[in-house]
Amino acid sequence: MKLVWSPDTASKAYIDTVKSCELVHESGAAELISAMAAGWNARFIVETWAQGGAVATSVGLAVASRHTGGRHVCLVPDERSRSEYVKAVEQTGFSPEVIIGQPDEVMDGLVDIDFLVVDSRRKDFARVLRLAKLSNRGAVLVCKNAYKRNDSSFVWKSVVDGRSRRLVRSVYLPVGKGLDIAHVATSCGTSSSGKEKGESRWIKHVDRQSGEEHVIRK
């Protein structure tokens, strides 16, 4: 399986996010992120939030999850952050699902993530990306507030290993306060030969006596 793009769903989420973000007087990156999450039919959306941050992205992701019938979860570091976040989001008419804790504590219990948004201002944003258990369909990873990134040396290769995770493409967009986006492919497992399960090979064999060529699928 793989992520499949739906322009119609993306368009609907974009428009609904524009309307919803009028309530919090914020716009920009949220609409684009919402359209991407909905367009890729994300079933499990996870984001991180830092205290004092805007909630427009959260509103956009909540809108996207409604269009895809998926689940949207926000990770916050402590109770104070949770209270501030929930209060701000509920003013827009959404009831967010929030998990309190550090990445090591919470990411292990979150599986099949296919859309992940991290706040680059958090010191642990790269660790969240590495710890995330991504869907076997692949995933879209988004770093918001990218031009204020805590780690200026960050590169996408640091969160993909080339085996279970493979970077398909990445792009930086000067939208909002900067969006750094990557599409990552994943594999469910490998055989003893290192080939992905289900992958076949064509082997050519030449009969030395007759000179005939035989192509065998293995």
Side-chain angles (χ1 to χ4, degrees):
M1 295 179 66
K2 63 180 181 178
L3 296 175
V4 179
W5 178 254
S6 170
D8 184 57
T9 307
S11 177
K12 291 176 180 178
Y14 184 95
I15 294 172
D16 287 349
T17 301
V18 170
K19 296 176 181 177
S20 297
C21 283
E22 291 177 354
L23 301 175
V24 291
H25 306 290
E26 300 166 13
S27 61
E31 294 92 333
L32 177 59
I33 293 174
S34 177
M36 285 193 298
W40 287 117
N41 193 32
R43 308 298 297 176
F44 189 19
I45 302 169
V46 176
E47 67 167 320
T48 65
W49 186 81
Q51 189 173 358
V55 297
T57 297
S58 297
V59 173
L61 292 175
V63 169
S65 66
R66 286 187 175 181
H67 281 281
T68 65
R71 178 188 178 195
H72 166 227
V73 175
C74 183
L75 310 182
V76 299
D78 49 47
E79 178 58 35
R80 184 176 180 181
S81 298
R82 187 204 69 80
S83 179
E84 180 182 326
Y85 175 80
V86 170
K87 182 179 180 180
V89 175
E90 285 184 342
Q91 290 178 350
T92 66
F94 293 93
S95 298
E97 180 181 349
V98 184
I99 298 178
I100 302 173
Q102 300 304 316
D104 300 53
E105 301 170 348
V106 299
M107 294 305 289
D108 190 55
L110 303 177
V111 298
D112 292 334
I113 298 170
D114 50 15
F115 201 89
L116 175 60
V117 181
V118 297
D119 190 334
S120 298
R121 297 175 302 170
R122 285 183 53 151
K123 294 180 180 180
D124 59 3
F125 82 91
R127 183 164 180 74
V128 173
L129 293 170
R130 285 192 292 270
L131 291 173
K133 295 181 178 180
L134 306 180
S135 166
N136 58 21
R137 298 193 307 153
V140 175
L141 311 180
V142 181
C143 293
K144 67 178 184 179
N145 296 317
Y147 86 85
K148 290 186 175 181
R149 187 148 38 203
N150 183 271
D151 182 3
S152 60
S153 64
F154 172 81
V155 292
W156 283 111
K157 288 184 179 180
S158 67
V159 298
V160 297
D161 56 20
R163 294 171 62 87
S164 61
R165 291 183 175 190
R166 179 174 56 84
L167 182 63
V168 177
R169 65 179 67 88
S170 64
V171 62
Y172 177 86
L173 300 177
V175 179
K177 296 180 180 179
L179 295 177
D180 198 359
I181 306 166
H183 178 196
V184 176
T186 61
S187 61
C188 299
T190 57
S191 65
S192 59
S193 65
K195 296 287 184 179
E196 290 186 7
K197 290 182 178 179
E199 183 178 348
S200 60
R201 294 182 300 162
W202 291 94
I203 299 174
K204 183 173 71 172
H205 172 70
V206 179
D207 189 308
R208 292 183 179 181
Q209 293 184 347
S210 67
E212 295 180 346
E213 290 187 1
H214 303 277
V215 180
I216 306 170
R217 188 173 186 176
K218 184 175 181 180

